[in-house]
């Protein structure tokens, strides 16, 4: 932590009239039909950093990725709509470059006045951003770095990627951590240091394989590990139960059996689930005990008894980390489990961290008060890898 220079360090040196390249995480969800932004949480998260730079008179050049284009321009992944929304939130127009490092980007950056903001087109429209070839990535980083006199990384959701804008650009410019990245690292280091106990972790989402490394890392340190979501069915199968047509990773059953044996009773699994005839919002559904799942039905949420049991464990906690929904919260019929757990977390007298991704989206989609959680991370994958103890390339680059 002490090795990270911060935005305040950069501001103290003076940025008026200087070009500051900011790597933001503006990878927001878009409506497939209209292209409209459906959740602007990630745009809002970078406002404190951008606002401070604007106020200090910097020429702010923002860059980000959106979606997974294949290294070439793809209109459905344009940051154009993001530029409009960012301008609304900043209260001033954002100058949008229609390419990443080409003629439009060069002229847009050259024309910036002090205190103005530009946004470059999607970084992943250039193959150099994500290339495994260091020379190709480095060449792209050289072009990006030419747009800044200093670099700020405020894209926590991307710090676990060894990409040009995250890993290579900081080696070419004076670099600092933005407000969001600093806050994320401070919060997550509280969880990996000496968290106040009891320390309870809630994990959901679809696959055990996605969470295996973090389960392995957390088991020795947590007091309770509550498992819901699609991944719970592989654990239930490991206990010898019938799971019907529910999501199941057959190759992970033995691993789950081993985790349960080693957990010393720390792992709590659902006792009831909501089963349905089909994966559809209007499917016929009801609640059953986990030892009574019919062979032709699939589980799409945890049941009310499970919510009550998990809530009781959470009510005792002093530190809580939650990553992954308890069910298919996007469908109202299967949202009660996620809502119930989220509400239990807000009521606990605990320092709570929501680990980004679908969990953060669920908090907003269900209309819950974001301020009632201690911290909502913007990086699902990055927060999990931090808790696993992995070196995050973007953080390592800032420490150098």
């Amino acid at each position: 932590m002490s090795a990270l220079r911060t935005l305040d360090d950069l501001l103290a040196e003076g940025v008026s009239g200087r070009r500051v390249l900011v790597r933001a995480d503006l990878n927001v969800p878009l409506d497939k039909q209209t292209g409209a932004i459906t959740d602007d949480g990630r745009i809002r998260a970078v406002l404190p950093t951008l606002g401070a730079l604007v106020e200090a008179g910097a020429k702010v050049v923002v860059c980000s990725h959106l979606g997974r284009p294949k290294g070439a321009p793809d209109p459905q992944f344009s940051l154009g709509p993001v530029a409009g929304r960012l301008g609304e939130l900043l209260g001033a127009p954002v100058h949008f470059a229609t390419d990443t490092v080409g003629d439009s980007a060069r002229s847009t950056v050259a024309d910036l006045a002090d205190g103005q903001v530009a946004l470059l087109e999607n970084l992943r429209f250039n193959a150099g951003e994500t290339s495994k070839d260091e020379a190709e990535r480095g060449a792209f980083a050289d072009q990006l770095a030419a747009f800044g006199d200093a670099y700020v990384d405020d894209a926590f959701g991307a710090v676990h990627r060894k990409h040009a804008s995250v890993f290579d650009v900081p080696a070419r410019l004076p670099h600092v951590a933005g407000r969001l990245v600093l806050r994320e690292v401070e919060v997550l280091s509280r969880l990996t240091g000496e968290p106040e106990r009891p320390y309870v972790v809630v994990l959901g989402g679809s696959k055990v394989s996605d969470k295996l490394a973090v389960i392995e890392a957390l088991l020795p340190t947590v007091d309770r590990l509550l498992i819901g979501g699609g991944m719970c069915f592989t654990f239930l199968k490991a206990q010898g139960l019938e799971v019907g047509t529910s999501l199941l990773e057959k190759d992970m059953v033995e691993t789950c059996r081993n985790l349960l044996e080693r957990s010393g009773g720390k792992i709590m699994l659902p006792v009831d689930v909501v089963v349905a005839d089909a994966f559809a919002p209007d499917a016929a559904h009801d609640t059953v005990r986990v030892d009574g799942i019919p062979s032709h039905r699939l589980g799409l949420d945890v049941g009310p008894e499970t919510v009550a049991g998990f809530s009781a464990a959470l009510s005792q906690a002093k530190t809580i980390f939650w990553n992954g929904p308890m069910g298919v919260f996007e469908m109202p019929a299967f949202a009660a489990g996620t809502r119930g757990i989220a509400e239990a977390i807000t009521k606990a007298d605990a320092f709570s961290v929501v680990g980004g991704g679908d969990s953060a989206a669920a908090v907003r989609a269900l209309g819950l008060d974001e301020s009632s959680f201690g911290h909502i991370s913007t990086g699902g994958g990055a927060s999990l890898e931090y808790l696993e103890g992995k070196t995050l390339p973007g953080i390592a680059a800032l420490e150098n």
Side-chain angles (χ1 to χ4, degrees), residues 258-284:
N258 183 261
L259 285 168
L260 288 167
E261 286 171 1
R262 284 169 31 218
S263 77
K266 288 181 180 180
I267 293 177
M268 273 183 83
L269 295 174
V271 293
D272 61 342
V273 291
V274 180
V275 293
D277 290 343
F279 187 88
D282 56 353

Side-chain angles (χ1 to χ4, degrees), residues 279-367:
F279 187 88
D282 56 353
H285 60 276
D286 53 285
T287 303
V288 299
R289 303 281 302 173
V290 292
D291 57 3
I293 298 173
S295 61
H296 64 287
R297 306 187 88 185
L298 75 163
L300 295 181
D301 195 12
V302 298
E305 275 190 56
T306 299
V307 171
F310 282 13
S311 297
L314 290 164
S315 71
Q316 304 298 311
K318 288 297 177 188
T319 305
I320 297 170
F321 175 75
W322 169 36
N323 179 279
M326 295 293 100
V328 187
F329 72 90
E330 298 90 345
M331 300 179 188
F334 312 110
T338 302
R339 178 184 293 281
I341 295 307
E343 288 174 346
I345 292 170
T346 65
K347 289 171 186 165
D349 180 20
F351 174 64
S352 59
V353 179
V354 180
D358 286 341
S359 320
V363 167
R364 289 190 278 269
L366 296 172

